[in-house]
Structures are given as C-alpha cells and as structure tokens.
Amino acid sequence: LGRTATEIEGFRYPSELLVLDPFDDLPGRFAREPRPGAKAPLADVAAYDAYLQRLDGFVAWVDQAINNLRLGTAKGIVHPRVIVERSLPGLAAVAAAQPTETAFWAPMRSFPAGVPMAERARLARELDLRLRERVLPAYARLHRFLATEYLPSAREAVAFADLPGGVAWYAYLVRANSRSTATPADVHAAALARVAEWRSRAPASPGVFSPLPVRPGGFLLDPVSERAWRAYLSADSPAEGAPISRAGVPPTRALHIAALAAVDTGVHAQGWTRERAIAWLVEQLGLDAGVAADHVDRCIAQPARALAALEGLGFFGELRRAAIAGGAAAADDAEFVRRVVESLWMPLPVLG
C-alpha cells in the first residue's frame, strides 16, 4: 500500500514536461540500443517488421516530447541550461550519421538463415528509408528545437526547488527513491555524516556476494530496491575514477555513494551551486574536476536518483546484521543473497 500511495502522489507532478537526461534519456538509449534484447538476433520476417514499427513509435515520441517541452516552457517548468547543453552533442551526432553507421542498422548485419534474400533486400530498403526520412530527421528536429527555441528559456539555476512547486516535488522524489519518510534535509545531514565517518575508516576488503539476476522468480525488479541492493553489493569496492589515497587504495563505493547523496540533496534542496558541488566532490573524493562535474550534472539531471544507493547501504546492512544476530539460516552469505534477490521485486519497506 505504501508504494501505491507514493505512485499516486507522483501524478501530482508533471514529470512529462522534463524529458531530457543526457545520461539516460530515451533518445540516447534508443540510439544505443533501439530494441530490447538487442544482442539476440531477430527471429523472423515478422520480428523485423515489428522492429520497423518500433522506429515509428520513437518518431511519435519525439514530437510529443517537443510539445511537452513547449508546454513546460509556458508553465515555467524547464530544464537547467547545463542539461540542455549536454543533450545537444549526442542528438547532433545521431542526426548527422548515415543509416548504416547507426545502431539501428545492426539487425541488417545478421539475418537468420530462414529469412529469404528477397525479404532481406526489402527490409534493408525499408529500414534505410525510415532512417533517412523519419528517425534521423526526428533527432535533427529535436536538436533544432532545443538549440533554437528551448535553450534560450532554460534556467541558469540547477535546483529542483527553483521550479514551480519544486520544493514539494523534490521532497516527493526523495521519498520515492528512498522508500522512507525522510525529508531532503534529513537525507542531506545523514549523507554528510556518512562521508565524515567513512573518510575516517580504514579501507575494507571487497565483499563476497554474488551478482544480481535480472528477473528473480520471473518478476520485474523494483527499481529502487535494485539500485539499493547493487549499492550494498559494491559498498567495499574501489570507487570508479577515484585516485589512489596515501593508504594505497581509492575511496570505496560506500564513500562515493554517500558523497553523491550529499551533492544531490545539497544542489536540489540546500542551495548548493553547481560550482560548489563540483569543488566539494573534488575535495572529499579527490576526483578530477571533469569527473566531478559529470557526477554533479548527473545528479542535476536525475534528482534524488542517487539516494536509493545510500538507502541500500543502511537498509541491507541492517537486514544482514539482524540475520546474524538472530542466528538464522540467512546469516550464511549465500542464503542471505538468495533470500534478498528473490524478494527484489518488492519495494524496500515491504521487502524488510
């Protein structure tokens, strides 16, 4: 019931007016992998025809996205300038590509044996036509709209709190991504405390837990539970992009996760500027300024997304300690992992 109430609350906020994310939006994902399970070949002619129809669906999405972004501009609900500027190069690159140079052409390079030569030729012609006349022009259309019409209206400020209704909206995102009733201020204070605590710790050895299957028991994973579990699994691993410390090891992922949660809440709810957040990450983690800027901009583009990882460190740590204290079978590493993984289709409050 808690999750349903959270999802219902989400309908109050017009997330459809903010569709850009240069790190993980639909145009970017679609250009990299235009169909689910892209590594597996299409099975037959019907599958190829369905693939062509899927491309038409993306073109329709682009036109709707432009309409939504225009509506957002009229309502004062617009992306920060830095997010728009980061989105432009990727769109331009896809728009300028030749059809055969794109990921969209991949199915034409490996037809199943059962597809007749005449059908292969037809499908290649139709895909070439769709890409030249619909898909690639859609990328160009979105790029042109963003560069000439939307960018001048983009906001210089980066905080979600600066949007109309943004304070309540971000507080909702915090609850949705942490599956708790914590406020942005609570999470910010907890994240800063974790950073201070973990910076003073000696590095731990990497954990021994197994990787995460895609769909345990055939269920779709709860996205927050999945991100939280992945964070717990990697907590003692070296943080990617972090320099080697004087102790001879880089900061752990746990420290990295806590720092990003502090940045996310700092930027969106505590008045941190983008420049302050970048400088703070450089100071706390020793990151290169460019790497730190990437992390900060991801937090700007994906408000509150980083908080699920911080939640996971505490939530699954408590579950693990409780299992050990209770002397249950789940205290065994393998059994603990099995039980958690089989439950990841549930939101965190239910899973616990």
Short mmCIF file of all heavy atoms in Angstrom, two decimals, residues 189-212:
data_model
loop_
_atom_site.label_atom_id
_atom_site.label_comp_id
_atom_site.label_asym_id
_atom_site.label_seq_id
_atom_site.Cartn_x
_atom_site.Cartn_y
_atom_site.Cartn_z
N ALA A 189 21.79 15.62 5.87
CA ALA A 189 22.56 15.51 7.11
C ALA A 189 23.13 14.10 7.27
O ALA A 189 24.30 13.94 7.66
CB ALA A 189 21.68 15.87 8.31
N ALA A 190 22.33 13.08 6.95
CA ALA A 190 22.81 11.70 7.07
C ALA A 190 23.94 11.43 6.09
O ALA A 190 24.93 10.75 6.43
CB ALA A 190 21.66 10.73 6.82
N ALA A 191 23.83 11.96 4.89
CA ALA A 191 24.88 11.73 3.89
C ALA A 191 26.19 12.40 4.30
O ALA A 191 27.27 11.81 4.18
CB ALA A 191 24.41 12.26 2.53
N LEU A 192 26.11 13.62 4.80
CA LEU A 192 27.32 14.30 5.26
C LEU A 192 27.97 13.54 6.42
O LEU A 192 29.20 13.42 6.49
CB LEU A 192 27.00 15.73 5.68
CG LEU A 192 26.61 16.70 4.57
CD1 LEU A 192 26.22 18.05 5.16
CD2 LEU A 192 27.76 16.88 3.57
N ALA A 193 27.14 13.02 7.32
CA ALA A 193 27.67 12.24 8.44
C ALA A 193 28.34 10.97 7.94
O ALA A 193 29.41 10.58 8.44
CB ALA A 193 26.55 11.92 9.42
N ARG A 194 27.74 10.31 6.95
CA ARG A 194 28.35 9.10 6.39
C ARG A 194 29.69 9.42 5.73
O ARG A 194 30.64 8.65 5.84
CB ARG A 194 27.41 8.46 5.37
CG ARG A 194 26.15 7.84 5.95
CD ARG A 194 26.46 6.52 6.67
NE ARG A 194 25.25 5.85 7.09
CZ ARG A 194 24.64 4.88 6.42
NH1 ARG A 194 25.12 4.49 5.26
NH2 ARG A 194 23.56 4.30 6.90
N VAL A 195 29.74 10.52 5.00
CA VAL A 195 31.00 10.90 4.35
C VAL A 195 32.09 11.09 5.40
O VAL A 195 33.21 10.58 5.26
CB VAL A 195 30.81 12.18 3.52
CG1 VAL A 195 32.17 12.72 3.06
CG2 VAL A 195 29.93 11.90 2.31
N ALA A 196 31.77 11.82 6.46
CA ALA A 196 32.76 12.06 7.51
C ALA A 196 33.19 10.75 8.17
O ALA A 196 34.38 10.53 8.44
CB ALA A 196 32.19 13.02 8.55
N GLU A 197 32.22 9.87 8.42
CA GLU A 197 32.52 8.59 9.06
C GLU A 197 33.40 7.73 8.17
O GLU A 197 34.42 7.19 8.61
CB GLU A 197 31.21 7.85 9.37
CG GLU A 197 31.41 6.45 9.92
CD GLU A 197 30.11 5.67 10.00
OE1 GLU A 197 29.04 6.25 9.71
OE2 GLU A 197 30.18 4.46 10.33
N TRP A 198 33.03 7.58 6.89
CA TRP A 198 33.75 6.66 6.01
C TRP A 198 35.10 7.20 5.56
O TRP A 198 35.98 6.44 5.22
CB TRP A 198 32.86 6.28 4.83
CG TRP A 198 31.75 5.36 5.23
CD1 TRP A 198 31.77 4.44 6.24
CD2 TRP A 198 30.46 5.27 4.66
NE1 TRP A 198 30.58 3.78 6.34
CE2 TRP A 198 29.74 4.27 5.37
CE3 TRP A 198 29.81 5.94 3.61
CZ2 TRP A 198 28.44 3.92 5.07
CZ3 TRP A 198 28.51 5.58 3.32
CH2 TRP A 198 27.83 4.59 4.04
N ARG A 199 35.25 8.51 5.58
CA ARG A 199 36.57 9.05 5.26
C ARG A 199 37.58 8.72 6.35
O ARG A 199 38.78 8.64 6.09
CB ARG A 199 36.51 10.57 5.10
CG ARG A 199 35.91 11.04 3.78
CD ARG A 199 36.17 12.49 3.55
NE ARG A 199 37.59 12.74 3.26
CZ ARG A 199 38.12 13.94 3.11
NH1 ARG A 199 37.36 15.02 3.25
NH2 ARG A 199 39.40 14.08 2.83
N SER A 200 37.08 8.51 7.58
CA SER A 200 37.99 8.22 8.69
C SER A 200 38.27 6.74 8.84
O SER A 200 39.13 6.35 9.63
CB SER A 200 37.38 8.76 9.99
OG SER A 200 36.20 8.05 10.32
N ARG A 201 37.56 5.90 8.08
CA ARG A 201 37.73 4.45 8.23
C ARG A 201 38.90 3.94 7.41
O ARG A 201 39.23 4.48 6.36
CB ARG A 201 36.48 3.72 7.73
CG ARG A 201 35.32 3.73 8.67
CD ARG A 201 34.23 2.84 8.08
NE ARG A 201 33.02 2.87 8.90
CZ ARG A 201 31.93 2.19 8.59
NH1 ARG A 201 31.90 1.45 7.48
NH2 ARG A 201 30.87 2.25 9.35
N ALA A 202 39.48 2.85 7.89
CA ALA A 202 40.45 2.12 7.07
C ALA A 202 39.67 1.37 5.99
O ALA A 202 38.57 0.89 6.24
CB ALA A 202 41.23 1.13 7.92
N PRO A 203 40.22 1.25 4.79
CA PRO A 203 39.51 0.54 3.71
C PRO A 203 39.21 -0.91 4.08
O PRO A 203 40.04 -1.59 4.68
CB PRO A 203 40.48 0.62 2.53
CG PRO A 203 41.41 1.73 2.87
CD PRO A 203 41.52 1.76 4.37
N ALA A 204 38.02 -1.36 3.74
CA ALA A 204 37.63 -2.75 3.98
C ALA A 204 37.93 -3.59 2.75
O ALA A 204 38.15 -3.08 1.67
CB ALA A 204 36.13 -2.81 4.32
N SER A 205 37.92 -4.89 2.95
CA SER A 205 38.13 -5.77 1.81
C SER A 205 36.83 -5.90 1.04
O SER A 205 35.75 -5.78 1.60
CB SER A 205 38.57 -7.16 2.29
OG SER A 205 37.58 -7.69 3.15
N PRO A 206 36.89 -6.16 -0.28
CA PRO A 206 35.67 -6.28 -1.08
C PRO A 206 34.77 -7.40 -0.54
O PRO A 206 35.23 -8.38 0.01
CB PRO A 206 36.19 -6.62 -2.48
CG PRO A 206 37.58 -6.08 -2.49
CD PRO A 206 38.10 -6.27 -1.10
N GLY A 207 33.46 -7.21 -0.72
CA GLY A 207 32.50 -8.21 -0.27
C GLY A 207 32.56 -9.47 -1.11
O GLY A 207 33.23 -9.54 -2.12
N VAL A 208 31.80 -10.48 -0.66
CA VAL A 208 31.87 -11.79 -1.32
C VAL A 208 30.53 -12.17 -1.94
O VAL A 208 30.33 -13.30 -2.32
CB VAL A 208 32.28 -12.88 -0.31
CG1 VAL A 208 33.67 -12.63 0.20
CG2 VAL A 208 31.28 -12.94 0.87
N PHE A 209 29.62 -11.19 -2.04
CA PHE A 209 28.29 -11.53 -2.51
C PHE A 209 28.25 -11.72 -4.02
O PHE A 209 29.07 -11.20 -4.75
CB PHE A 209 27.29 -10.45 -2.08
CG PHE A 209 27.16 -10.35 -0.60
CD1 PHE A 209 27.48 -9.17 0.05
CD2 PHE A 209 26.74 -11.43 0.15
CE1 PHE A 209 27.36 -9.08 1.43
CE2 PHE A 209 26.62 -11.35 1.53
CZ PHE A 209 26.93 -10.17 2.16
N SER A 210 27.24 -12.45 -4.46
CA SER A 210 27.11 -12.78 -5.87
C SER A 210 26.41 -11.67 -6.63
O SER A 210 25.75 -10.83 -6.03
CB SER A 210 26.30 -14.07 -6.01
OG SER A 210 25.00 -13.87 -5.51
N PRO A 211 26.53 -11.64 -7.97
CA PRO A 211 25.85 -10.62 -8.75
C PRO A 211 24.34 -10.80 -8.76
O PRO A 211 23.82 -11.81 -8.29
CB PRO A 211 26.44 -10.81 -10.16
CG PRO A 211 26.91 -12.21 -10.18
CD PRO A 211 27.36 -12.52 -8.78
N LEU A 212 23.66 -9.83 -9.33
CA LEU A 212 22.21 -9.77 -9.29
C LEU A 212 21.59 -10.30 -10.57
O LEU A 212 21.93 -9.85 -11.64
CB LEU A 212 21.80 -8.31 -9.10
CG LEU A 212 20.33 -7.93 -9.02
CD1 LEU A 212 19.74 -8.46 -7.72
CD2 LEU A 212 20.19 -6.44 -9.11
#
